[in-house]
Amino acid sequence: MFTDEMRSQIEGAALPELTRQQLLAALEGRDVTEEQFRKIMDGVHAEYRSTRIEPLEAVGVIAAQSIGEPGTQMTMRTFHYAGVAEINVTLGLPRLIEIMDARKEPSTPTMTIYLSPEYNNDRDKARMVSWQIEAAPLHEFGDITTDMENMQVLVHVNEAVLAKRKISMDVIAETAQRKIRERRHYRDFDAEVNAAEHVIVFTPKDQEKYQNLFQLAEHVRNVIVQGIDDIERVVVRKESGEYILYTEGSNLKDVFEVAGVDTTRTRTNNISEIAQVLGIEAARNAIMAEALSTLSEQGIKVDVRHIMLVADMMCMDGEVKQIGRHGIAGEKESVLSRAAFEVTVNHLLDAAVANEVDELNGVTENVIVGQPIQLGTGDVKLIAKPRT
Amino acid sequence: MSVRINVLDHVMVPNHQVMSEEEVQNLLRRYDITFDQLPRIYHDDPGVRQVNGKVGDVIRIVRKSQTAGIAEAYRLVVRRPKK
């Protein structure tokens, strides 16, 4: 009989949560004697101990090799249309490099926006949310004409578009003026709304030069009046029974404030943005998820543990650091170790000027000076006791 | 930010908890380490702010792990250095 006593013994065992659960699931409802149970527990404990990494194992080198070797088999340059939707995403080796380099912005930022339950099963409602997100320049709302005679830029707003996009004339006129001033830093103009004829009239302050008029027309045409500036395109797709928005461009903070967005699942491929909005632990998860999906998309299997180690190292100090000379490798204690990596002369010169001392605690430094390294058996010191 | 969302609700954010003095002492004893050997987290990190962590606190992070099921990690709250 599988008793409660055994159950609580498993729950209290010094094993990982996953192992405990698997053990419980396997034993539930089975006939086990005291004797057999003891054997099982001993066996599981022994197996667990043997799978643990040994002290002084060079896990970093193993992780580097385990990610590096499959990396050589990756496609050098792939611009994929992400399988789903027509959204262009960098994949393969360039993307992996981007993740490890902790770039401030990926070359193809994209978001996957989940919607809250009231919105996610109705195409029209999903579309409504997408209009709040997709950046729409003023020229999408109607015809824009430049009146050279009267030195004016006229926007003939199309009412049908307004109704479709659920936005009022006043809001558009107001946002257009504010955004041209604040975002585009162009201030020498006046604007007037003619609500009856659905026209917004922009006039440059300087009436002397045509150049001003054309400049103004350019600003008016492209000013973003609805949506979030960084998000250039939104695609609505139905996936596993709910509508999801895919975007080109990313702005997690602003998207979170749009009504109808599920703020518990929405994600971006911009890791530094995740670190800013959701914190360092989320960034760690994002690095792992992005690296893993980039690798598996190419049919390469790398054990998560290696990627976990990399992500842990990158997020160790509270911010996302790149693997390389401006991050982890550049902040090593030892001068020789840093010099061995990149820009050798600079490091040696700076160290000499600053009178730095190398304690020779690490691996690289000891290889350089020709001493045993403190890894594996290299760390064990045996002293023979002479028999008398 | 106008509407403050609870970042801990997000699927990518693991649970953060401020540890008590006693728990911290036990932790340091268990691993035989000092404070500055702990990984760090900045005081203005969204996760820390959500649980009202102060500089010098230790945060326990209960991660969902693909290998172990549940894994605990610890981070020391430090002030974000000025650029």
Side-chain angles (χ1 to χ4, degrees), chain A residues 116 185 245 316 378-379:
Chain A
S116 47
H185 306 290
L245 310 183
M316 195 65 117
D379 195 59

Side-chain angles (χ1 to χ4, degrees), chain A residues 17-18 253 256-257 263-264 266-267 274 276-277 279-282 284-285 304-305 315-319, chain B residues 1-2 5 7 9-14 16 39-42 45-46 61 63 66-70 75 83:
Chain A
E17 177 68 21
L18 203 63
K253 200 176 149 203
F256 271 0
E257 287 177 26
T263 54
T264 67
T266 295
R267 57 200 304 153
I274 291 179
Q276 239 176 56
V277 179
I280 190 70
E281 277 295 320
R284 192 192 91 105
N285 277 333
V304 252
R305 277 160 264 239
C315 299
M316 195 65 117
D317 286 321
E319 66 187 343
Chain B
M1 222 185 273
S2 51
I5 57 150
V7 292
D9 287 342
H10 198 280
V11 283
M12 282 201 289
V13 185
H16 291 52
R40 318 247 155 99
I41 191 166
Y42 289 150
D45 189 275
I61 294 148
R63 296 170 178 161
Q66 286 181 52
T67 50
I70 291 175
R75 284 180 188 267
K83 279 277 149 68

Side-chain angles (χ1 to χ4, degrees), chain B residues 10-68:
Chain B
H10 198 280
V11 283
M12 282 201 289
V13 185
N15 193 12
H16 291 52
Q17 301 156 5
V18 178
M19 289 171 80
S20 71
E21 193 69 28
E22 198 191 325
E23 288 173 311
V24 174
Q25 289 311 321
N26 282 339
L27 170 76
L28 297 184
R29 214 171 311 124
R30 177 145 60 98
Y31 290 103
D32 191 19
I33 50 169
T34 54
F35 256 120
D36 51 303
Q37 284 176 301
L38 285 167
R40 318 247 155 99
I41 191 166
Y42 289 150
H43 73 286
D44 59 352
D45 189 275
V48 173
R49 270 200 270 175
Q50 196 72 52
V51 295
N52 289 319
K54 311 268 178 307
V55 172
D57 283 347
V58 177
I59 307 281
R60 179 198 290 117
I61 294 148
V62 186
R63 296 170 178 161
K64 281 192 199 71
S65 161
Q66 286 181 52
T67 50

Side-chain angles (χ1 to χ4, degrees), chain A residues 209-233:
Chain A
K209 284 193 219 134
Y210 281 121
Q211 198 197 342
N212 287 323
L213 186 66
F214 290 124
Q215 233 174 38
L216 179 63
E218 195 58 31
H219 286 303
V220 169
R221 187 177 302 282
N222 295 321
V223 68
I224 308 291
V225 289
Q226 194 182 20
I228 296 160
D229 288 44
D230 310 278
I231 296 177
E232 284 150 33
R233 223 158 60 86

